[in-house]
Every structure is written in structure tokens, then in C-alpha cells.
Amino acid sequence: RRSSTLPSRGLPGTFAKMSSSKLVVMMNGLPGAMGHEVGQACLRRGLDLATMALTGPGSPKDCEVTEGEKTVKVELVGPEQPEKQQEAIGKMQAKYGKSLVIVDFTHPTAVNPNTEMYAKAKCPFVMGTTGGDKDKMMKVTTDSETYAVIAPNMCKQIVAFQATFDRMAKDFPGAFVGYKMEVVESHQSTKADTSGTAKAMVQHFNALGVDHFDVENDIKMIRTPEEQVGFGVPEDALKGHAWHTYSLTSGDGTVKFEFKHNVCGRSTYAEGVVDAVQFLGQKILSGSRKRVFSMIDVLSEGEMK
């Protein structure tokens, strides 16, 4: 693993001036499981955590994130008073300056309101929450010229998997004409929406010519423990997993392709989030004209550790 403080290609010495220890993450989504996992990964890799974060309704007033010998107490601000959440972002910007990057793992219903707050404050952010109106999110982020990484999946290998099919669809459009597709995805019961990764993959397969497949209605979601165990998910991963299977069958039934990516736990995603934060910090320092990125951008520049 390369040191996170090494300069990136094309930016000799620039990123070295802003080591990972100077980046501060406002971990919106605490005290949720993904918020804790990302917070711990940040501390483990030398980033700091902001002392305030946005949270959902009914959450406690604060929580602690502990990694090794370091513990950070975080004040949580709920959506009951949206102006208080906007104020919290402003306070963290005043406290940490340009070192602040927001990470969002909240709830599908909060995606667009939160994006609007980040754009209003022009605070760089990494959006890992899926759902909401993506076109609206992209527009408000682009129009405000806010730096952001927006992606449905943060796992290096799955990002590469997605990129491969994206390129395949561009190079060989129609390669799967006449094939019928089934998509099954299983996540922990607390995940409210359909897998954003599955939706993205369906778009690639549609471009490859499979029979009509509705990205909003044809993906099978599994959220009950009984079905999940039947799908093959280990019992000790029921509270945190992401299993996907894409099955493509020829019209006459003689040929079948099956693609799977099964993840137990959350650590691989958390590590990818830290990669995205560091990538964004680098882009800000370089004055990049492009301001909205995907995880494929992060991977393509060799910035996923």
C-alpha cells in the first residue's frame, strides 16, 4: 500500500503538503453502522473526525467513535430543525476550514435535502447513500460548483467490475440481444431502498441488449433473514452484507451467464470511502476544473489503495 501522503501523478509535491492527517471528515449518518465503520476507517488511516455530524430522526444527541486508542465524541444534529443542520455544517467549516470533507451515509429520503445543504455551503462531500433523485442531486452539485464524489458503491473490486461492463457496453453494444435477465440482491433488513449498484449494473446490461428490464421494478430485493439464508448469506452476516446475482439466459435457453459479487460486512466499503475523501482532497488542492466525480474516476487514477 502506498502512503496516503505521497504526491499523486501529475501533482508533484502538492498532495504531500496536505497529509491525510489534515483532512477532517464530517461523518453524516452516525450513529448508524456504516457511519461507525467509515469513522473507524478514517481514524485508522490518519484522518480526523469532525466533532459534529448530521443524523436521522430519533437519534441520540451524541455518540463516540473509537478506533484503537483514539476516541472521538461527536454531537449529532437531527432533521427536526433543518436550519440547525445547515448551521452545523457552517460551524464545522469555520472550525476546520478547507480541510473539511463531508461523508454521507444517511437515508434515501435525506439524499436530496442533504445535497442541497452541502451545495449551499459549497462543502466538498462524498455521497455513499443511494436513492433519491440522482439527476436533481447531480444538477444542484454541478450548478453550485461543489467538489463531490457520488457513487452507489465504494468497493474497489466492484467499482472495477462496474467499469468493465460500462466499457463492454460501449465497445460491444447489443452483445446480449435476445437474452433474458434476472437480478437478485440481498442486503441487511435496515436497507430501505433497492441496491444502487444493481441499478447501475442493469443500465450496463440494458445497453448490451438484454430483453427489456425495468431498473425500478424488475430487481428482486431480499430483506428477510429467512430468504437471505436461503440465498446463501451466512447467518453472521445478516446484519451487514451486499449480495448480488445477475443471470442472463439466451432466448432458447441453451446458454446461461451468471455474474455474482457477494460482500459480507462493511469494511471494504469504508476503506473505499477513505480513498474517495483523499482523492477529493487532492482534486481540491490541484484546482481541478472537473468537480463532480465517480468512484470509477478514483479507481482510474490509481487512488484506491
Side-chain angles (χ1 to χ4, degrees):
R1 177 179 292 183
R2 295 181 299 162
S3 168
S4 59
T5 60
L6 286 176
S8 174
R9 295 190 304 274
L11 294 168
T14 304
F15 196 44
K17 296 177 183 177
M18 185 178 182
S19 68
S20 60
S21 64
K22 292 184 180 179
L23 288 170
V24 182
V25 170
M26 184 177 185
M27 187 56 250
N28 293 346
L30 284 170
M34 193 63 197
H36 270 286
E37 193 81 47
V38 173
Q40 290 173 318
C42 289
L43 296 177
R44 187 164 56 247
R45 288 177 55 182
L47 282 69
D48 289 332
L49 290 182
T51 54
M52 296 181 76
L54 308 190
T55 190
S59 296
K61 65 178 182 179
D62 58 48
C63 71
E64 292 184 344
V65 178
T66 300
E67 176 61 26
E69 297 181 355
K70 186 168 186 178
T71 297
V72 179
K73 186 174 182 179
V74 181
E75 179 184 346
L76 303 176
V77 183
E80 292 80 7
Q81 294 179 294
E83 68 278 4
K84 295 293 184 183
Q85 291 193 315
Q86 191 76 60
E87 287 176 13
I89 295 172
K91 287 180 181 178
M92 294 300 95
Q93 286 180 300
K95 183 174 183 178
Y96 300 110
K98 294 183 179 180
S99 296
L100 185 69
V101 176
I102 291 172
V103 171
D104 189 300
F105 277 94
T106 53
H107 190 273
T109 58
V111 168
N112 292 116
N114 286 1
T115 301
E116 289 175 7
M117 285 193 287
Y118 308 155
K120 183 177 180 180
K122 296 199 72 170
C123 187
F125 67 93
V126 175
M127 178 59 74
T129 311
T130 57
D133 186 330
K134 184 176 180 181
D135 290 338
K136 184 177 179 181
M137 174 172 53
M138 295 296 287
K139 186 177 188 307
V140 72
T141 305
T142 301
D143 288 351
S144 65
E145 298 186 335
T146 302
Y147 282 98
V149 173
I150 298 173
N153 198 296
M154 302 289 178
C155 171
K156 177 179 180 178
Q157 290 75 23
I158 295 176
V159 172
F161 181 80
Q162 290 176 289
T164 297
F165 278 89
D166 179 47
R167 291 169 185 171
M168 185 189 297
K170 292 173 181 175
D171 291 343
F172 308 109
F176 282 92
V177 167
Y179 276 68
K180 296 180 180 179
M181 183 168 70
E182 293 182 356
V183 179
V184 183
E185 59 93 348
S186 175
H187 286 75
Q188 59 279 358
S189 59
T190 54
K191 181 170 173 59
D193 61 324
T194 304
S195 164
T197 303
K199 288 184 175 182
M201 287 301 301
V202 166
Q203 293 177 341
H204 301 323
F205 283 121
N206 280 341
L208 283 164
V210 299
D211 289 356
H212 178 71
F213 193 96
D214 190 328
V215 69
E216 296 298 335
N217 300 308
D218 291 343
I219 298 172
K220 181 181 178 182
M221 294 171 54
I222 296 178
R223 294 293 183 272
T224 64
E226 295 78 10
E227 283 188 289
Q228 290 168 344
V229 171
F231 192 47
V233 179
E235 290 193 14
D236 60 2
L238 293 178
K239 292 184 178 180
H241 69 278
W243 282 40
H244 301 72
T245 298
Y246 313 88
S247 302
L248 290 77
T249 306
S250 62
D252 61 5
T254 62
V255 182
K256 183 174 182 178
F257 291 84
E258 194 168 79
F259 305 95
K260 295 184 179 183
H261 50 90
N262 299 335
V263 176
C264 294
R266 299 178 175 87
S267 62
T268 187
Y269 302 117
E271 293 294 332
V273 172
V274 179
D275 292 335
V277 170
Q278 293 179 325
F279 169 87
L280 206 55
Q282 175 185 315
K283 290 299 179 183
I284 295 167
L285 281 172
S286 72
S288 171
R289 291 185 179 181
K290 179 177 179 179
R291 299 200 171 201
V292 182
F293 304 90
S294 70
M295 286 303 288
I296 292 177
D297 293 318
V298 181
L299 179 63
S300 296
E301 294 197 15
E303 292 303 327
M304 296 195 75
K305 308 299 186 288

